[in-house]
Amino acid sequence: MHITLTGNLGSGKSTICKILDSVYGYEIFSTGTVQRELAKELGISVLEMNQLMCKDKKYDHMIDDMTAKISRENTEKSIVFDSRLAWHFVEKSFKVFLSVSLDVAANRVYADNRGDVEKYTSLEDALGQLRLRAETEDKRYKELYNVSYFDFNNYNLVLDSTYCTPELLARVMLAEAKRQEEAKKEENVFLISPKRLGLSDAIISAEPSCYYQEETVTIEKSGDEYVIVSGREIAEKAAKEGIPFVRAVLA
């Protein structure tokens, strides 16, 4: 199986890829590593590299062509593509978007040592840079390929990584991939933590009875977060029983 893994900055993509590699035997292809190496060679930051890529399209095409080539030539291998746009270029894959609260993402990257090309002077600086990088990348992808990076309809699974451990997230991802494969039906599933929907006392069990309930909660975006429109009782039930996610649809 090929898994294409993308998502918000600071959502834990690299960590989950390492788990898929060490525990489940997947090979990792990371375009972020390629981009960081380009930035290092040019002596600029990752944000500056993103801005340069907006002006000179050759860097995007280099990365994207490499992604497509590897997927075509390794159809028999289990590969996870840690890449913003691999879902668009890999011919057949289980497409996953990792979502995370912007505040949590900023805390993660600020506490993490990401080298000279990705430094932050404060938590506020990290939050501002993450927001600007997301806007810059989304604009670039629309101009280059006419695709909407943040349109969740592009993905088989949107998975909230704000509160769950990377180990549990990897298990949920693979279980959902297997479920859709066995059903021979591609779906657009959005799984979000009850905690992220405002149920701060939600229990998240390390060994839950199930990963999510069949019932669906309707939510809407409010700034950088999500709020419940209908189905609050479903989220409350999951929170009480230690079920890590609720299945959601956007209003």
Side-chain angles (χ1 to χ4, degrees), residues 204-238:
I204 300 179
S205 172
E207 296 293 337
S209 58
C210 62
Y211 295 133
Y212 63 93
Q213 300 157 297
E214 290 301 317
E215 299 92 343
T216 300
V217 175
T218 301
I219 63 176
E220 65 180 5
K221 208 164 190 321
S222 177
D224 292 320
E225 282 307 322
Y226 296 95
V227 296
I228 298 173
V229 175
S230 65
R232 185 174 183 85
E233 68 281 359
I234 298 168
E236 289 176 344
K237 183 174 185 290

PDB file of all heavy atoms in Angstrom, residues 204-238:
ATOM      1  N   ILE A 204      -9.307   9.970  26.873  1.00  0.00           N
ATOM      2  CA  ILE A 204      -8.774   9.343  25.667  1.00  0.00           C
ATOM      3  C   ILE A 204      -8.060   8.074  26.095  1.00  0.00           C
ATOM      4  O   ILE A 204      -6.963   8.107  26.649  1.00  0.00           O
ATOM      5  CB  ILE A 204      -7.825  10.285  24.901  1.00  0.00           C
ATOM      6  CG1 ILE A 204      -8.571  11.553  24.469  1.00  0.00           C
ATOM      7  CG2 ILE A 204      -7.253   9.583  23.676  1.00  0.00           C
ATOM      8  CD1 ILE A 204      -7.721  12.551  23.724  1.00  0.00           C
ATOM      9  N   SER A 205      -8.692   6.951  25.846  1.00  0.00           N
ATOM     10  CA  SER A 205      -8.143   5.666  26.262  1.00  0.00           C
ATOM     11  C   SER A 205      -7.037   5.222  25.314  1.00  0.00           C
ATOM     12  O   SER A 205      -7.133   5.401  24.104  1.00  0.00           O
ATOM     13  CB  SER A 205      -9.252   4.615  26.298  1.00  0.00           C
ATOM     14  OG  SER A 205      -8.728   3.332  26.512  1.00  0.00           O
ATOM     15  N   ALA A 206      -5.986   4.629  25.874  1.00  0.00           N
ATOM     16  CA  ALA A 206      -4.909   4.081  25.041  1.00  0.00           C
ATOM     17  C   ALA A 206      -5.351   2.817  24.320  1.00  0.00           C
ATOM     18  O   ALA A 206      -4.807   2.461  23.271  1.00  0.00           O
ATOM     19  CB  ALA A 206      -3.680   3.784  25.900  1.00  0.00           C
ATOM     20  N   GLU A 207      -6.346   2.128  24.882  1.00  0.00           N
ATOM     21  CA  GLU A 207      -6.888   0.911  24.274  1.00  0.00           C
ATOM     22  C   GLU A 207      -8.416   1.045  24.206  1.00  0.00           C
ATOM     23  O   GLU A 207      -9.146   0.381  24.931  1.00  0.00           O
ATOM     24  CB  GLU A 207      -6.494  -0.321  25.086  1.00  0.00           C
ATOM     25  CG  GLU A 207      -5.003  -0.585  25.138  1.00  0.00           C
ATOM     26  CD  GLU A 207      -4.433  -0.971  23.778  1.00  0.00           C
ATOM     27  OE1 GLU A 207      -5.216  -1.451  22.923  1.00  0.00           O
ATOM     28  OE2 GLU A 207      -3.223  -0.776  23.564  1.00  0.00           O
ATOM     29  N   PRO A 208      -8.904   1.898  23.326  1.00  0.00           N
ATOM     30  CA  PRO A 208     -10.350   2.143  23.259  1.00  0.00           C
ATOM     31  C   PRO A 208     -11.113   0.949  22.694  1.00  0.00           C
ATOM     32  O   PRO A 208     -10.563   0.132  21.948  1.00  0.00           O
ATOM     33  CB  PRO A 208     -10.457   3.349  22.311  1.00  0.00           C
ATOM     34  CG  PRO A 208      -9.248   3.239  21.437  1.00  0.00           C
ATOM     35  CD  PRO A 208      -8.156   2.694  22.331  1.00  0.00           C
ATOM     36  N   SER A 209     -12.393   0.852  23.041  1.00  0.00           N
ATOM     37  CA  SER A 209     -13.243  -0.231  22.522  1.00  0.00           C
ATOM     38  C   SER A 209     -13.459  -0.087  21.021  1.00  0.00           C
ATOM     39  O   SER A 209     -13.671  -1.073  20.311  1.00  0.00           O
ATOM     40  CB  SER A 209     -14.589  -0.231  23.252  1.00  0.00           C
ATOM     41  OG  SER A 209     -15.243   1.027  23.093  1.00  0.00           O
ATOM     42  N   CYS A 210     -13.426   1.136  20.528  1.00  0.00           N
ATOM     43  CA  CYS A 210     -13.477   1.417  19.096  1.00  0.00           C
ATOM     44  C   CYS A 210     -12.821   2.776  18.875  1.00  0.00           C
ATOM     45  O   CYS A 210     -12.620   3.536  19.827  1.00  0.00           O
ATOM     46  CB  CYS A 210     -14.914   1.405  18.570  1.00  0.00           C
ATOM     47  SG  CYS A 210     -15.984   2.662  19.299  1.00  0.00           S
ATOM     48  N   TYR A 211     -12.475   3.081  17.646  1.00  0.00           N
ATOM     49  CA  TYR A 211     -11.800   4.339  17.354  1.00  0.00           C
ATOM     50  C   TYR A 211     -12.778   5.496  17.173  1.00  0.00           C
ATOM     51  O   TYR A 211     -12.463   6.638  17.461  1.00  0.00           O
ATOM     52  CB  TYR A 211     -10.921   4.202  16.118  1.00  0.00           C
ATOM     53  CG  TYR A 211      -9.772   3.233  16.308  1.00  0.00           C
ATOM     54  CD1 TYR A 211      -9.482   2.273  15.346  1.00  0.00           C
ATOM     55  CD2 TYR A 211      -8.990   3.275  17.455  1.00  0.00           C
ATOM     56  CE1 TYR A 211      -8.431   1.375  15.525  1.00  0.00           C
ATOM     57  CE2 TYR A 211      -7.950   2.386  17.642  1.00  0.00           C
ATOM     58  CZ  TYR A 211      -7.668   1.438  16.669  1.00  0.00           C
ATOM     59  OH  TYR A 211      -6.635   0.557  16.862  1.00  0.00           O
ATOM     60  N   TYR A 212     -13.966   5.181  16.685  1.00  0.00           N
ATOM     61  CA  TYR A 212     -15.002   6.199  16.546  1.00  0.00           C
ATOM     62  C   TYR A 212     -16.348   5.514  16.398  1.00  0.00           C
ATOM     63  O   TYR A 212     -16.434   4.339  16.045  1.00  0.00           O
ATOM     64  CB  TYR A 212     -14.733   7.128  15.355  1.00  0.00           C
ATOM     65  CG  TYR A 212     -14.740   6.462  13.994  1.00  0.00           C
ATOM     66  CD1 TYR A 212     -15.900   6.410  13.221  1.00  0.00           C
ATOM     67  CD2 TYR A 212     -13.577   5.907  13.460  1.00  0.00           C
ATOM     68  CE1 TYR A 212     -15.905   5.818  11.967  1.00  0.00           C
ATOM     69  CE2 TYR A 212     -13.571   5.321  12.210  1.00  0.00           C
ATOM     70  CZ  TYR A 212     -14.739   5.280  11.465  1.00  0.00           C
ATOM     71  OH  TYR A 212     -14.743   4.686  10.221  1.00  0.00           O
ATOM     72  N   GLN A 213     -17.405   6.276  16.692  1.00  0.00           N
ATOM     73  CA  GLN A 213     -18.754   5.745  16.567  1.00  0.00           C
ATOM     74  C   GLN A 213     -19.266   5.951  15.145  1.00  0.00           C
ATOM     75  O   GLN A 213     -18.743   6.774  14.393  1.00  0.00           O
ATOM     76  CB  GLN A 213     -19.674   6.467  17.567  1.00  0.00           C
ATOM     77  CG  GLN A 213     -19.241   6.310  19.013  1.00  0.00           C
ATOM     78  CD  GLN A 213     -19.781   7.433  19.889  1.00  0.00           C
ATOM     79  OE1 GLN A 213     -19.457   8.582  19.701  1.00  0.00           O
ATOM     80  NE2 GLN A 213     -20.633   7.061  20.833  1.00  0.00           N
ATOM     81  N   GLU A 214     -20.299   5.198  14.782  1.00  0.00           N
ATOM     82  CA  GLU A 214     -20.865   5.333  13.437  1.00  0.00           C
ATOM     83  C   GLU A 214     -21.640   6.635  13.278  1.00  0.00           C
ATOM     84  O   GLU A 214     -21.720   7.195  12.191  1.00  0.00           O
ATOM     85  CB  GLU A 214     -21.780   4.138  13.129  1.00  0.00           C
ATOM     86  CG  GLU A 214     -21.027   2.823  12.938  1.00  0.00           C
ATOM     87  CD  GLU A 214     -20.018   2.893  11.806  1.00  0.00           C
ATOM     88  OE1 GLU A 214     -20.347   3.456  10.734  1.00  0.00           O
ATOM     89  OE2 GLU A 214     -18.887   2.399  11.997  1.00  0.00           O
ATOM     90  N   GLU A 215     -22.228   7.117  14.372  1.00  0.00           N
ATOM     91  CA  GLU A 215     -23.007   8.356  14.291  1.00  0.00           C
ATOM     92  C   GLU A 215     -22.105   9.538  13.940  1.00  0.00           C
ATOM     93  O   GLU A 215     -20.928   9.558  14.284  1.00  0.00           O
ATOM     94  CB  GLU A 215     -23.722   8.633  15.614  1.00  0.00           C
ATOM     95  CG  GLU A 215     -24.710   7.550  16.016  1.00  0.00           C
ATOM     96  CD  GLU A 215     -24.069   6.495  16.890  1.00  0.00           C
ATOM     97  OE1 GLU A 215     -22.830   6.405  16.921  1.00  0.00           O
ATOM     98  OE2 GLU A 215     -24.829   5.751  17.546  1.00  0.00           O
ATOM     99  N   THR A 216     -22.700  10.533  13.280  1.00  0.00           N
ATOM    100  CA  THR A 216     -21.924  11.659  12.765  1.00  0.00           C
ATOM    101  C   THR A 216     -22.301  12.960  13.468  1.00  0.00           C
ATOM    102  O   THR A 216     -23.485  13.244  13.689  1.00  0.00           O
ATOM    103  CB  THR A 216     -22.144  11.820  11.252  1.00  0.00           C
ATOM    104  OG1 THR A 216     -21.731  10.619  10.591  1.00  0.00           O
ATOM    105  CG2 THR A 216     -21.334  12.974  10.701  1.00  0.00           C
ATOM    106  N   VAL A 217     -21.287  13.736  13.803  1.00  0.00           N
ATOM    107  CA  VAL A 217     -21.470  15.063  14.390  1.00  0.00           C
ATOM    108  C   VAL A 217     -21.265  16.110  13.296  1.00  0.00           C
ATOM    109  O   VAL A 217     -20.330  16.004  12.496  1.00  0.00           O
ATOM    110  CB  VAL A 217     -20.445  15.297  15.528  1.00  0.00           C
ATOM    111  CG1 VAL A 217     -20.544  16.713  16.061  1.00  0.00           C
ATOM    112  CG2 VAL A 217     -20.649  14.288  16.647  1.00  0.00           C
ATOM    113  N   THR A 218     -22.121  17.100  13.259  1.00  0.00           N
ATOM    114  CA  THR A 218     -21.952  18.210  12.313  1.00  0.00           C
ATOM    115  C   THR A 218     -21.212  19.339  13.012  1.00  0.00           C
ATOM    116  O   THR A 218     -21.588  19.747  14.118  1.00  0.00           O
ATOM    117  CB  THR A 218     -23.314  18.714  11.795  1.00  0.00           C
ATOM    118  OG1 THR A 218     -24.000  17.641  11.150  1.00  0.00           O
ATOM    119  CG2 THR A 218     -23.123  19.851  10.797  1.00  0.00           C
ATOM    120  N   ILE A 219     -20.146  19.824  12.383  1.00  0.00           N
ATOM    121  CA  ILE A 219     -19.320  20.879  12.979  1.00  0.00           C
ATOM    122  C   ILE A 219     -19.104  21.999  11.957  1.00  0.00           C
ATOM    123  O   ILE A 219     -19.369  21.830  10.767  1.00  0.00           O
ATOM    124  CB  ILE A 219     -17.946  20.336  13.449  1.00  0.00           C
ATOM    125  CG1 ILE A 219     -17.137  19.803  12.255  1.00  0.00           C
ATOM    126  CG2 ILE A 219     -18.135  19.246  14.492  1.00  0.00           C
ATOM    127  CD1 ILE A 219     -15.737  19.347  12.611  1.00  0.00           C
ATOM    128  N   GLU A 220     -18.622  23.132  12.437  1.00  0.00           N
ATOM    129  CA  GLU A 220     -18.248  24.215  11.538  1.00  0.00           C
ATOM    130  C   GLU A 220     -16.978  24.867  12.045  1.00  0.00           C
ATOM    131  O   GLU A 220     -16.644  24.781  13.236  1.00  0.00           O
ATOM    132  CB  GLU A 220     -19.367  25.253  11.417  1.00  0.00           C
ATOM    133  CG  GLU A 220     -19.682  26.017  12.690  1.00  0.00           C
ATOM    134  CD  GLU A 220     -20.804  27.025  12.507  1.00  0.00           C
ATOM    135  OE1 GLU A 220     -21.404  27.054  11.410  1.00  0.00           O
ATOM    136  OE2 GLU A 220     -21.083  27.777  13.466  1.00  0.00           O
ATOM    137  N   LYS A 221     -16.254  25.503  11.116  1.00  0.00           N
ATOM    138  CA  LYS A 221     -14.990  26.149  11.477  1.00  0.00           C
ATOM    139  C   LYS A 221     -15.273  27.494  12.111  1.00  0.00           C
ATOM    140  O   LYS A 221     -16.130  28.246  11.640  1.00  0.00           O
ATOM    141  CB  LYS A 221     -14.114  26.329  10.235  1.00  0.00           C
ATOM    142  CG  LYS A 221     -12.622  26.328  10.539  1.00  0.00           C
ATOM    143  CD  LYS A 221     -11.828  26.122   9.279  1.00  0.00           C
ATOM    144  CE  LYS A 221     -10.346  25.874   9.541  1.00  0.00           C
ATOM    145  NZ  LYS A 221      -9.734  26.623  10.582  1.00  0.00           N
ATOM    146  N   SER A 222     -14.580  27.783  13.202  1.00  0.00           N
ATOM    147  CA  SER A 222     -14.699  29.065  13.883  1.00  0.00           C
ATOM    148  C   SER A 222     -13.284  29.577  14.159  1.00  0.00           C
ATOM    149  O   SER A 222     -12.628  29.143  15.099  1.00  0.00           O
ATOM    150  CB  SER A 222     -15.481  28.906  15.195  1.00  0.00           C
ATOM    151  OG  SER A 222     -15.539  30.129  15.913  1.00  0.00           O
ATOM    152  N   GLY A 223     -12.781  30.468  13.307  1.00  0.00           N
ATOM    153  CA  GLY A 223     -11.392  30.904  13.407  1.00  0.00           C
ATOM    154  C   GLY A 223     -10.465  29.761  13.062  1.00  0.00           C
ATOM    155  O   GLY A 223     -10.559  29.172  11.987  1.00  0.00           O
ATOM    156  N   ASP A 224      -9.577  29.418  14.002  1.00  0.00           N
ATOM    157  CA  ASP A 224      -8.653  28.302  13.806  1.00  0.00           C
ATOM    158  C   ASP A 224      -9.189  26.994  14.385  1.00  0.00           C
ATOM    159  O   ASP A 224      -8.498  25.983  14.346  1.00  0.00           O
ATOM    160  CB  ASP A 224      -7.296  28.623  14.466  1.00  0.00           C
ATOM    161  CG  ASP A 224      -6.566  29.745  13.737  1.00  0.00           C
ATOM    162  OD1 ASP A 224      -6.609  29.762  12.496  1.00  0.00           O
ATOM    163  OD2 ASP A 224      -5.975  30.602  14.429  1.00  0.00           O
ATOM    164  N   GLU A 225     -10.413  27.017  14.914  1.00  0.00           N
ATOM    165  CA  GLU A 225     -10.945  25.831  15.580  1.00  0.00           C
ATOM    166  C   GLU A 225     -12.301  25.411  15.016  1.00  0.00           C
ATOM    167  O   GLU A 225     -12.809  26.029  14.084  1.00  0.00           O
ATOM    168  CB  GLU A 225     -11.041  26.080  17.083  1.00  0.00           C
ATOM    169  CG  GLU A 225      -9.693  25.958  17.795  1.00  0.00           C
ATOM    170  CD  GLU A 225      -8.995  24.638  17.509  1.00  0.00           C
ATOM    171  OE1 GLU A 225      -9.679  23.600  17.427  1.00  0.00           O
ATOM    172  OE2 GLU A 225      -7.770  24.648  17.358  1.00  0.00           O
ATOM    173  N   TYR A 226     -12.885  24.371  15.626  1.00  0.00           N
ATOM    174  CA  TYR A 226     -14.173  23.841  15.190  1.00  0.00           C
ATOM    175  C   TYR A 226     -15.147  23.830  16.364  1.00  0.00           C
ATOM    176  O   TYR A 226     -14.752  23.628  17.514  1.00  0.00           O
ATOM    177  CB  TYR A 226     -14.010  22.421  14.657  1.00  0.00           C
ATOM    178  CG  TYR A 226     -13.139  22.333  13.424  1.00  0.00           C
ATOM    179  CD1 TYR A 226     -11.779  22.036  13.542  1.00  0.00           C
ATOM    180  CD2 TYR A 226     -13.666  22.559  12.153  1.00  0.00           C
ATOM    181  CE1 TYR A 226     -10.970  21.964  12.411  1.00  0.00           C
ATOM    182  CE2 TYR A 226     -12.864  22.492  11.027  1.00  0.00           C
ATOM    183  CZ  TYR A 226     -11.525  22.193  11.158  1.00  0.00           C
ATOM    184  OH  TYR A 226     -10.721  22.137  10.045  1.00  0.00           O
ATOM    185  N   VAL A 227     -16.417  24.038  16.056  1.00  0.00           N
ATOM    186  CA  VAL A 227     -17.464  23.991  17.072  1.00  0.00           C
ATOM    187  C   VAL A 227     -18.578  23.072  16.590  1.00  0.00           C
ATOM    188  O   VAL A 227     -18.774  22.891  15.383  1.00  0.00           O
ATOM    189  CB  VAL A 227     -18.041  25.392  17.383  1.00  0.00           C
ATOM    190  CG1 VAL A 227     -16.969  26.282  17.992  1.00  0.00           C
ATOM    191  CG2 VAL A 227     -18.598  26.038  16.113  1.00  0.00           C
ATOM    192  N   ILE A 228     -19.309  22.484  17.532  1.00  0.00           N
ATOM    193  CA  ILE A 228     -20.392  21.562  17.215  1.00  0.00           C
ATOM    194  C   ILE A 228     -21.642  22.334  16.800  1.00  0.00           C
ATOM    195  O   ILE A 228     -22.072  23.258  17.483  1.00  0.00           O
ATOM    196  CB  ILE A 228     -20.711  20.663  18.420  1.00  0.00           C
ATOM    197  CG1 ILE A 228     -19.496  19.801  18.788  1.00  0.00           C
ATOM    198  CG2 ILE A 228     -21.911  19.776  18.121  1.00  0.00           C
ATOM    199  CD1 ILE A 228     -19.680  19.009  20.072  1.00  0.00           C
ATOM    200  N   VAL A 229     -22.214  21.941  15.673  1.00  0.00           N
ATOM    201  CA  VAL A 229     -23.485  22.498  15.202  1.00  0.00           C
ATOM    202  C   VAL A 229     -24.633  21.602  15.652  1.00  0.00           C
ATOM    203  O   VAL A 229     -25.652  22.073  16.159  1.00  0.00           O
ATOM    204  CB  VAL A 229     -23.494  22.651  13.669  1.00  0.00           C
ATOM    205  CG1 VAL A 229     -24.866  23.121  13.175  1.00  0.00           C
ATOM    206  CG2 VAL A 229     -22.410  23.619  13.217  1.00  0.00           C
ATOM    207  N   SER A 230     -24.463  20.285  15.471  1.00  0.00           N
ATOM    208  CA  SER A 230     -25.469  19.326  15.928  1.00  0.00           C
ATOM    209  C   SER A 230     -24.794  17.997  16.240  1.00  0.00           C
ATOM    210  O   SER A 230     -23.735  17.689  15.704  1.00  0.00           O
ATOM    211  CB  SER A 230     -26.559  19.130  14.856  1.00  0.00           C
ATOM    212  OG  SER A 230     -26.006  18.538  13.691  1.00  0.00           O
ATOM    213  N   GLY A 231     -25.428  17.230  17.133  1.00  0.00           N
ATOM    214  CA  GLY A 231     -24.884  15.939  17.520  1.00  0.00           C
ATOM    215  C   GLY A 231     -23.985  15.993  18.734  1.00  0.00           C
ATOM    216  O   GLY A 231     -23.126  15.126  18.928  1.00  0.00           O
ATOM    217  N   ARG A 232     -24.185  16.996  19.583  1.00  0.00           N
ATOM    218  CA  ARG A 232     -23.332  17.137  20.760  1.00  0.00           C
ATOM    219  C   ARG A 232     -23.391  15.897  21.658  1.00  0.00           C
ATOM    220  O   ARG A 232     -22.383  15.509  22.262  1.00  0.00           O
ATOM    221  CB  ARG A 232     -23.733  18.378  21.562  1.00  0.00           C
ATOM    222  CG  ARG A 232     -22.793  18.658  22.740  1.00  0.00           C
ATOM    223  CD  ARG A 232     -23.112  19.956  23.450  1.00  0.00           C
ATOM    224  NE  ARG A 232     -22.142  20.186  24.507  1.00  0.00           N
ATOM    225  CZ  ARG A 232     -20.967  20.766  24.336  1.00  0.00           C
ATOM    226  NH1 ARG A 232     -20.605  21.176  23.133  1.00  0.00           N
ATOM    227  NH2 ARG A 232     -20.131  20.928  25.341  1.00  0.00           N
ATOM    228  N   GLU A 233     -24.555  15.259  21.732  1.00  0.00           N
ATOM    229  CA  GLU A 233     -24.692  14.079  22.586  1.00  0.00           C
ATOM    230  C   GLU A 233     -23.779  12.942  22.120  1.00  0.00           C
ATOM    231  O   GLU A 233     -23.313  12.137  22.934  1.00  0.00           O
ATOM    232  CB  GLU A 233     -26.161  13.616  22.621  1.00  0.00           C
ATOM    233  CG  GLU A 233     -26.701  13.049  21.330  1.00  0.00           C
ATOM    234  CD  GLU A 233     -27.093  14.090  20.281  1.00  0.00           C
ATOM    235  OE1 GLU A 233     -26.958  15.299  20.557  1.00  0.00           O
ATOM    236  OE2 GLU A 233     -27.543  13.666  19.192  1.00  0.00           O
ATOM    237  N   ILE A 234     -23.496  12.880  20.818  1.00  0.00           N
ATOM    238  CA  ILE A 234     -22.601  11.855  20.281  1.00  0.00           C
ATOM    239  C   ILE A 234     -21.177  12.111  20.766  1.00  0.00           C
ATOM    240  O   ILE A 234     -20.466  11.194  21.198  1.00  0.00           O
ATOM    241  CB  ILE A 234     -22.656  11.848  18.736  1.00  0.00           C
ATOM    242  CG1 ILE A 234     -24.073  11.508  18.262  1.00  0.00           C
ATOM    243  CG2 ILE A 234     -21.629  10.874  18.156  1.00  0.00           C
ATOM    244  CD1 ILE A 234     -24.301  11.754  16.782  1.00  0.00           C
ATOM    245  N   ALA A 235     -20.762  13.379  20.706  1.00  0.00           N
ATOM    246  CA  ALA A 235     -19.422  13.748  21.176  1.00  0.00           C
ATOM    247  C   ALA A 235     -19.293  13.533  22.675  1.00  0.00           C
ATOM    248  O   ALA A 235     -18.247  13.086  23.169  1.00  0.00           O
ATOM    249  CB  ALA A 235     -19.122  15.197  20.810  1.00  0.00           C
ATOM    250  N   GLU A 236     -20.353  13.838  23.420  1.00  0.00           N
ATOM    251  CA  GLU A 236     -20.320  13.659  24.875  1.00  0.00           C
ATOM    252  C   GLU A 236     -20.217  12.187  25.241  1.00  0.00           C
ATOM    253  O   GLU A 236     -19.515  11.824  26.196  1.00  0.00           O
ATOM    254  CB  GLU A 236     -21.563  14.285  25.495  1.00  0.00           C
ATOM    255  CG  GLU A 236     -21.550  15.813  25.461  1.00  0.00           C
ATOM    256  CD  GLU A 236     -22.830  16.428  25.983  1.00  0.00           C
ATOM    257  OE1 GLU A 236     -23.854  15.693  26.084  1.00  0.00           O
ATOM    258  OE2 GLU A 236     -22.829  17.648  26.281  1.00  0.00           O
ATOM    259  N   LYS A 237     -20.878  11.331  24.500  1.00  0.00           N
ATOM    260  CA  LYS A 237     -20.817   9.888  24.738  1.00  0.00           C
ATOM    261  C   LYS A 237     -19.396   9.366  24.491  1.00  0.00           C
ATOM    262  O   LYS A 237     -18.854   8.591  25.286  1.00  0.00           O
ATOM    263  CB  LYS A 237     -21.810   9.156  23.837  1.00  0.00           C
ATOM    264  CG  LYS A 237     -21.886   7.643  24.044  1.00  0.00           C
ATOM    265  CD  LYS A 237     -23.004   7.052  23.187  1.00  0.00           C
ATOM    266  CE  LYS A 237     -23.186   5.563  23.456  1.00  0.00           C
ATOM    267  NZ  LYS A 237     -22.054   4.757  22.956  1.00  0.00           N
ATOM    268  N   ALA A 238     -18.781   9.811  23.382  1.00  0.00           N
ATOM    269  CA  ALA A 238     -17.405   9.406  23.076  1.00  0.00           C
ATOM    270  C   ALA A 238     -16.448   9.896  24.158  1.00  0.00           C
ATOM    271  O   ALA A 238     -15.557   9.154  24.596  1.00  0.00           O
ATOM    272  CB  ALA A 238     -16.989   9.956  21.715  1.00  0.00           C
TER     273      ALA A 238
END
